């Protein structure tokens, strides 16, 4: 609706100004409502995406084979314990060999093979 249309209807300037003010207020309210609708639509889409992601995550937990996960964890624990035990044994062997060699370093042997034989018997 334009001012010219209202003038053709025979409205006074004061009436036309009143109608135009009402129109302006209505347009502002429509803009405000459109902004709220856009924001609510965006919020709804975000929440729907979050819900879909949560449902996928829940389904992935439902699809898990808990017993195989527990077995796998147990296997890794066993491997870890075996590895720790092997490292401790290797460290003890290394220390023993180092001390044995240090002990026999001062002793004179006829040959390196004689030294190795004595150390092996020791």
């Amino acid at each position: 609706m334009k001012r010219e249309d209202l003038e053709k209807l025979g409205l006074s300037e004061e009436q036309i100004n009143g109608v135009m003010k009402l129109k302006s207020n209505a347009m502002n309210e429509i803009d405000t409502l459109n902004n709220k609708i856009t924001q609510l639509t965006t919020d709804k889409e975000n929440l729907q995406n979050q819900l879909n992601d949560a449902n996928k995550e829940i389904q992935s937990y439902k699809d898990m084979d808990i017993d195989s996960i527990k077995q796998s964890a147990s296997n890794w624990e066993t491997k870890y314990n075996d590895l720790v035990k092997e490292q401790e044994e290797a460290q003890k062997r290394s220390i023993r060999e180092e001390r044995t060699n240090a002990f026999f370093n001062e002793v004179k042997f006829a040959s390196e093979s004689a030294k190795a034989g004595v150390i092996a018997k020791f």
Side-chain angles (χ1 to χ4, degrees):
M1 174 179 335
K2 297 180 182 177
R3 285 185 165 275
E4 295 85 29
D5 296 334
L6 296 174
E7 288 173 357
K8 287 179 185 176
L9 293 174
L11 297 177
S12 69
E13 189 66 29
E14 186 179 308
Q15 290 172 330
I16 293 173
N17 287 340
V19 170
M20 295 308 282
K21 184 176 180 182
L22 289 174
K23 179 185 173 190
S24 176
N25 289 342
M27 294 303 289
N28 288 339
E29 287 180 27
I30 289 172
D31 288 343
T32 301
L33 291 174
N34 283 336
N35 289 339
K36 285 183 181 181
I37 289 170
T38 301
Q39 183 61 45
L40 290 173
T41 302
T42 302
D43 291 348
K44 177 194 169 274
E45 289 171 357
N46 289 339
L47 290 172
Q48 187 63 48
N49 289 337
Q50 289 176 3
L51 178 62
N52 291 340
D53 291 345
N55 284 335
K56 286 178 188 174
E57 189 71 20
I58 289 168
Q59 188 60 43
S60 73
Y61 289 128
K62 286 180 181 179
D63 293 341
M64 283 184 181
D65 181 8
I66 302 301
D67 293 331
S68 68
I69 293 171
K70 287 180 181 178
Q71 182 62 40
S72 178
S74 176
N75 290 345
W76 280 107
E77 182 180 18
T78 301
K79 288 178 183 179
Y80 169 77
N81 290 336
D82 291 346
L83 181 62
V84 168
K85 186 176 180 180
E86 287 175 20
Q87 288 177 342
E88 288 174 354
E89 289 172 1
Q91 185 179 15
K92 286 178 184 178
R93 264 194 314 272
S94 174
I95 291 171
R96 189 177 80 232
E97 288 174 7
E98 190 177 300
R99 289 180 180 170
T100 302
N101 286 335
F103 178 77
F104 283 110
N105 270 346
E106 300 299 320
V107 179
K108 300 243 184 207
F109 290 96
S111 67
E112 283 297 315
S113 59
K115 181 179 179 180
V118 170
I119 290 175
K121 290 282 184 181
F122 181 69

